[in-house]
Amino acid sequence: GVLLSPYEVWMPGPKCFTQSELELEIQKCLMDNHYFANERKLLKDIYHQYQDCLSTDRLIRFIISKLED
């Protein structure tokens, strides 16, 4: 079982069961930047507190603060 349910909400997008399905879905993703965009944004907003591209800076500051303690 999956810890997060319903599965389809937490794992949006197509589910591929064959090589040809996978290839088709990869093509769709490459051709359409908006493919499942709303679903991806919803989950990104839930999972990621920070979305400012400064995670490395925060990590470095955290490590330095621990080294200084």
Side-chain angles (χ1 to χ4, degrees), residues 3-15:
L3 293 177
L4 300 173
S5 64
Y7 177 78
E8 292 75 20
V9 171
W10 294 102
M11 303 296 172
K15 310 305 181 265

Side-chain angles (χ1 to χ4, degrees), residues 23-55:
E23 292 170 9
L24 179 63
E25 292 302 329
I26 290 172
Q27 288 175 356
K28 287 179 186 177
C29 288
L30 293 174
M31 300 301 285
D32 183 1
N33 289 337
H34 302 290
Y35 194 52
F36 284 92
N38 293 334
E39 294 85 348
R40 290 192 316 267
K41 183 180 181 331
L42 174 68
L43 291 179
K44 181 178 81 170
D45 292 344
I46 291 170
Y47 288 131
H48 299 286
Q49 178 179 358
Y50 300 106
Q51 298 179 29
D52 56 9
C53 300
L54 297 173
S55 294

Side-chain angles (χ1 to χ4, degrees), residues 15-26:
K15 310 305 181 265
C16 302
F17 298 97
T18 67
Q19 181 69 31
S20 59
E21 288 175 345
L22 177 61
E23 292 170 9
L24 179 63
E25 292 302 329
I26 290 172

